[in-house]
Amino acid sequence: MKITRITVWNLDLPLSAPYRLSGGRLKFEQLDSTFVRIETDEGLSGWGEGCPWGESYLPAHGKGIRAGLAVLAPVLLGEDPCALDHINRLMDVTLPGQLYVKSALDVACWDLLGQAAGMPLWRLMGAHKAEPVAVNSSISTGTPEEMIALIQKASAKGYRVHSAKIGGSEPSADIDRIDAISAALPAGEKVTFDVNRAWTPGVAIQVLNTATARDWIEQPCENLDQCAQVAARVAQPIMLDECLQSFGDHLAAWNRGACEGVKVKPNRVGGLTKARQIRDFGVSVGWQMHVEDVGGSALADTAALHLAASTPDANRLASWLSHDHLAVDPVPAQGVRNQGGFAALPSAPGLGVTPDPDLLGASVAVYEA
Ligand code: MG
């Protein structure tokens, strides 16, 4: 099988409500998403989506993806999309680093491999059956009362795991948030407090040694050095997210004892191929992992949840669904959807999500031999 054409669409995805992170210093109202279709000489087409969470969340932005595709797509024409390691090495030699640019192309190749093999991606990745995956809510920063009200709303939609966004300039406000939310959680429900890099190590150590709650704390500080310093001085288990991009970053986090779990996001680490390597490493060192994506429609969510579904129960925490926050749906009724706190994986070969190009508007680039 050979790649004959790569088509690119750009779609803005407005959020259904403004979303605040990191104590409110980061605000998001719309995502810039890039859809990629890879066509082949055997008539099969594969799809992928690249979507950072706005421009201020990660060192990644939508225009960067499309600029990177202009470099990578011509190089992939004529190559076999099922040779995923070869495809990834080619992308890494052509454009070192800049992992987020490569995810949509890698996912589209996985889609083609699955279609060629006649297997859904969850099976290709090693799951023996498609059990629904537990999904978690994401709670925007606010007062403890506002956040508890949002958690109750999410509980009513079936969510039993919540990611509460905290991290303010006033340490006492975060202590109040952590303890009030932990105390108000309905029996059987769980919460992670996601700081999104907002604290200095001193504030993190002060807050976490004063709060009585012992729930997961995610990405307390800007970088790995600071998070490792905090992890050594607090009782709560630490989850890392934004500061980890490459496999080497994950290895360094393990060597430093900086965390007990990580977020595995294909769009942050360079696609499903690299995300699977990181997931497998996480399993081998005993990490607990939320496997989900950075942002995007149900297409990006579905790609990530195929990997989640093939992750052992002991290492798998709930997965977040980005598309649940969108005011638009470019792949209506397709892919993973929250059904009472769980999402079922498609059983069709490949990714199992095929956008209708008419819903994506005019393409912004076509690469062909
Ligand atoms: Mg996070």
Side-chain angles (χ1 to χ4, degrees):
M1 193 189 301
K2 291 200 179 340
I3 296 173
T4 53
R5 185 185 292 129
I6 299 175
T7 309
V8 180
W9 287 264
N10 171 213
L11 203 62
D12 287 334
L13 305 174
L15 303 184
S16 49
Y19 187 86
R20 289 182 175 79
L21 288 181
S22 206
R25 75 188 168 119
L26 306 181
K27 183 184 175 189
F28 305 89
E29 296 180 287
Q30 182 166 289
L31 308 181
D32 173 338
S33 190
T34 302
F35 289 78
V36 171
R37 182 181 66 194
I38 296 182
E39 292 170 84
T40 66
D41 61 351
E42 294 187 10
L44 295 178
S45 297
W47 286 86
E49 180 181 7
C51 187
W53 188 260
E55 294 174 344
S56 57
Y57 170 64
L58 284 174
H61 65 129
K63 290 188 182 75
I65 291 178
R66 295 185 291 282
L69 289 173
V71 177
L72 294 171
V75 174
L76 297 190
L77 293 172
E79 298 294 336
D80 177 0
C82 299
L84 274 153
D85 288 346
H86 170 68
I87 291 283
N88 273 273
R89 278 195 292 271
L90 206 48
M91 290 199 288
D92 289 341
V93 166
T94 305
L95 195 64
Q98 307 186 59
L99 297 168
Y100 75 102
V101 164
K102 301 163 184 169
S103 183
L105 289 170
D106 175 76
V107 169
C109 289
W110 271 97
D111 187 12
L112 287 161
L113 175 63
Q115 291 177 49
M119 290 185 200
L121 292 192
W122 55 262
R123 190 160 167 232
L124 266 187
M125 292 184 167
H128 72 297
K129 53 186 173 180
E131 285 184 337
V133 171
V135 293
N136 66 269
S137 75
S138 185
I139 307 298
S140 182
T141 299
T143 65
E145 296 72 26
E146 288 165 346
M147 295 180 76
I148 289 167
L150 287 175
I151 287 173
Q152 287 166 344
K153 229 169 128 180
S155 296
K157 290 167 80 175
Y159 289 111
R160 296 292 172 264
V161 183
H162 311 279
S163 175
K165 306 302 176 185
I166 63 169
S169 52
E170 180 48 61
S172 65
D174 276 329
I175 295 167
D176 289 347
R177 287 188 183 106
I178 292 171
D179 284 341
I181 291 170
S182 298
L185 262 196
E189 299 194 15
K190 292 180 180 151
V191 64
T192 291
F193 292 99
D194 192 354
V195 188
N196 291 112
R197 328 190 299 277
W199 292 335
T200 57
V203 170
I205 291 164
Q206 183 191 353
V207 169
L208 297 178
N209 286 324
T210 307
T212 52
R214 292 291 177 264
D215 303 291
W216 282 92
I217 301 296
E218 183 172 322
Q219 192 70 45
C221 303
E222 186 69 34
N223 57 42
L224 179 58
D225 287 342
Q226 295 174 354
C227 290
Q229 193 179 348
V230 171
R233 291 167 176 78
V234 302
Q236 292 86 350
I238 301 292
M239 173 83 46
L240 292 182
D241 187 350
E242 292 99 302
C243 71
L244 305 177
Q245 317 282 331
S246 67
F247 183 87
D249 294 338
H250 292 77
L251 188 59
W254 167 250
N255 283 329
R256 301 283 299 273
C259 61
E260 286 70 42
V262 299
K263 289 280 180 86
V264 181
K265 299 178 176 177
N267 257 294
R268 194 186 73 234
V269 303
L272 282 170
T273 302
K274 290 184 165 77
R276 189 171 69 147
Q277 292 166 349
I278 290 163
R279 188 280 309 273
D280 290 346
F281 175 72
V283 170
S284 71
V285 300
W287 277 343
Q288 287 174 273
M289 294 169 277
H290 293 273
V291 184
E292 60 197 35
D293 222 332
V294 177
S297 74
L299 194 159
D301 289 334
T302 302
L305 264 66
H306 278 293
L307 182 62
S310 68
T311 302
D313 289 345
N315 303 94
R316 187 180 73 202
L317 298 170
S319 301
W320 170 68
L321 297 176
S322 166
H323 77 264
D324 222 17
H325 294 258
L326 303 180
V328 295
D329 188 350
V331 287
Q334 295 194 64
V336 292
R337 305 281 163 169
N338 172 34
Q339 292 168 312
F342 290 87
L345 272 297
S347 55
L351 180 63
V353 176
T354 308
D356 175 353
D358 288 343
L359 297 182
L360 302 180
S363 62
V364 294
V366 180
Y367 304 94
E368 53 193 333

